[in-house]
């Protein structure tokens, strides 16, 4: 990792990229989203203050734990005069984000636990399917796979005869999927 002399107070985008490990395109993106800022030289080149290193580290750490960029931007905007986050700032913000992360972990655990409940069925309208249609209100009227065909082709799929509907229902009940 290239060392930057202490007397240099501004970094080029290449230096910031090399020191932070973030791609130049990522730094440009962070700047466009208001997460870091730069000034422009007379030659229109970006120059970042040295504290941008800590801001980039803060953003990347928050991203690694799943915090959305919009939430990170809001947190950084709360800092007085857009100063660089300190260890205390990270502790305070990470504590605030803990409940959001816990809820996401719980949601992912519920999804994982229901993953095998209906895989392969194809009806997409199970009464107990929390993956494909958790708030199924149309399932009482017809199967979701028919709705999918209607959306794709723009016309309803021909109705099955009463006998084939009963056969399909018997097969589904025997398989235990619908």
């Amino acid at each position: 990792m290239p060392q930057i002399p202490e007397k240099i107070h501004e970094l080029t985008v290449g230096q910031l990229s090399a020191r932070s490990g973030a791609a130049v395109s990522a730094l440009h993106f962070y700047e466009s989203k208001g997460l870091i800022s730069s000034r422009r030289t007379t030659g229109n080149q970006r120059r970042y203050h040295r504290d941008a290193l800590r801001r980039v580290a803060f953003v990347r750490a928050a991203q690694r734990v799943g915090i959305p960029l919009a939430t990170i931007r809001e947190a950084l905007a709360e800092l007085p005069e857009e100063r660089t986050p300190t260890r205390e700032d990270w502790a305070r913000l990470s504590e605030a984000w803990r409940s959001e992360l816990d809820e996401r972990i719980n949601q992912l655990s519920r999804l994982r636990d229901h993953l095998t409940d209906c895989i392969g069925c194809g009806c997409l309208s199970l009464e107990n399917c929390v993956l494909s249609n958790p708030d199924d209100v149309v399932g009482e009227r017809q199967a979701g796979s028919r709705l999918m065909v209607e959306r794709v082709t723009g016309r309803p799929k021909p109705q099955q005869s009463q006998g084939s509907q009963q056969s399909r229902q018997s097969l589904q009940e025997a398989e235990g999927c619908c």
Side-chain angles (χ1 to χ4, degrees):
M1 182 178 318
Q3 294 298 315
I4 300 170
E6 286 294 320
K7 63 182 179 183
I8 297 176
H9 297 289
E10 290 186 320
L11 307 172
T12 66
V13 69
Q15 290 170 323
L16 182 59
S17 173
R19 289 286 308 275
S20 68
V24 169
S25 59
L27 297 173
H28 291 170
F29 181 74
Y30 292 163
E31 189 171 354
S32 74
K33 297 299 179 186
L35 299 167
I36 60 175
S37 61
S38 67
R39 74 168 185 87
R40 297 295 183 128
T41 66
T42 55
N44 203 30
Q45 296 175 333
R46 289 178 169 94
R47 293 293 185 262
Y48 297 90
H49 195 272
R50 286 182 72 93
D51 66 357
L53 281 167
R54 185 173 292 153
R55 288 179 79 89
V56 170
F58 180 91
V59 169
R60 295 185 78 198
Q63 280 186 297
R64 272 194 294 277
V65 296
I67 304 300
L69 285 178
T71 304
I72 298 168
R73 182 180 54 244
E74 291 168 7
L76 289 171
E78 290 177 11
L79 299 176
E81 299 175 13
E82 294 192 14
R83 71 170 166 74
T84 301
T86 63
R87 184 179 303 259
E88 293 78 23
D89 294 324
W90 178 258
R92 178 178 48 83
L93 292 168
S94 63
E95 183 61 35
W97 294 334
R98 183 176 295 278
S99 63
E100 181 182 336
L101 291 173
D102 286 342
E103 179 52 37
R104 274 201 228 147
I105 290 168
N106 289 335
Q107 182 182 26
L108 287 170
S109 294
R110 285 191 307 272
L111 286 172
R112 180 202 58 219
D113 294 345
H114 292 288
L115 186 61
T116 57
D117 287 353
C118 66
I119 288 299
C121 169
C123 78
L124 301 176
S125 188
L126 299 172
E127 288 180 27
N128 65 347
C129 185
V130 296
L131 296 176
S132 62
N133 201 357
D135 299 315
D136 188 5
V137 292
V138 182
E140 297 295 322
R141 193 180 66 197
Q142 61 184 352
S145 57
R146 274 191 224 126
L147 293 177
M148 295 290 286
V149 170
E150 287 177 23
R151 286 188 195 135
V152 171
T153 65
R155 63 177 187 248
K157 184 178 175 183
Q159 292 293 322
Q160 295 176 327
S161 69
Q162 183 66 23
S164 65
Q165 285 178 350
Q166 288 173 345
S167 297
R168 179 177 180 261
Q169 183 177 7
S170 298
L171 178 62
Q172 290 170 342
E173 287 172 357
E175 292 174 348
C177 72
C178 297

